[in-house]
Amino acid sequence: MPSQTKSVRGAQKDRYESAIAARVALLKEKGLAPAAIQKDARLRHLRAGLRQTMTRLQAIAATEKQNEALALKKRQAELGVKEEKSAKPEPQPKAAKKEKKEKKTKPKASE
């Protein structure tokens, strides 16, 4: 199962960024054009890994934020603080139900 801790994912992000920088420097040293550098398979693989790690970091941050909000709500519930609910207007009594219309039957044509 992949790691779901922020510290491990942060370390992965740093490794990917340094590997990308090293690969770009190597390719520039070889004298490749910028278009050829962008097409390098290993560089694309490293960037994909970085994107995945960044997506996971964003998901971890969202989970942490949600957990903090839930913990705050629980603390407030323990202290007896209730959120004020807006006063709902009383429903008006409905008018008497309308009588159903009688179905009209078509007379069958006799032969």
Side-chain angles (χ1 to χ4, degrees), residues 29-104:
E29 184 179 308
K30 287 185 177 181
L32 291 175
I37 291 174
Q38 295 299 320
K39 291 182 180 181
D40 183 57
R42 183 173 291 165
L43 186 61
R44 287 186 297 150
H45 178 75
L46 292 171
R47 286 187 177 152
L50 180 63
R51 278 193 306 272
Q52 290 173 348
T53 302
M54 293 300 292
T55 301
R56 189 64 208 144
L57 280 170
Q58 290 173 351
I60 290 170
T63 302
E64 287 177 352
K65 184 178 177 182
Q66 184 179 14
N67 289 342
E68 288 174 6
L70 182 60
L72 177 63
K73 190 174 181 180
K74 283 184 179 181
R75 276 187 246 125
Q76 288 178 347
E78 288 173 0
L79 297 175
V81 177
K82 295 183 181 179
E83 294 180 15
E84 295 180 16
K85 294 183 180 178
S86 60
K88 294 182 181 178
E90 294 182 17
Q92 297 176 354
K94 294 183 179 179
K97 290 186 178 181
K98 295 180 182 178
E99 295 180 21
K100 291 185 179 180
K101 293 182 180 179
E102 294 180 19
K103 291 185 178 179
K104 294 181 181 178

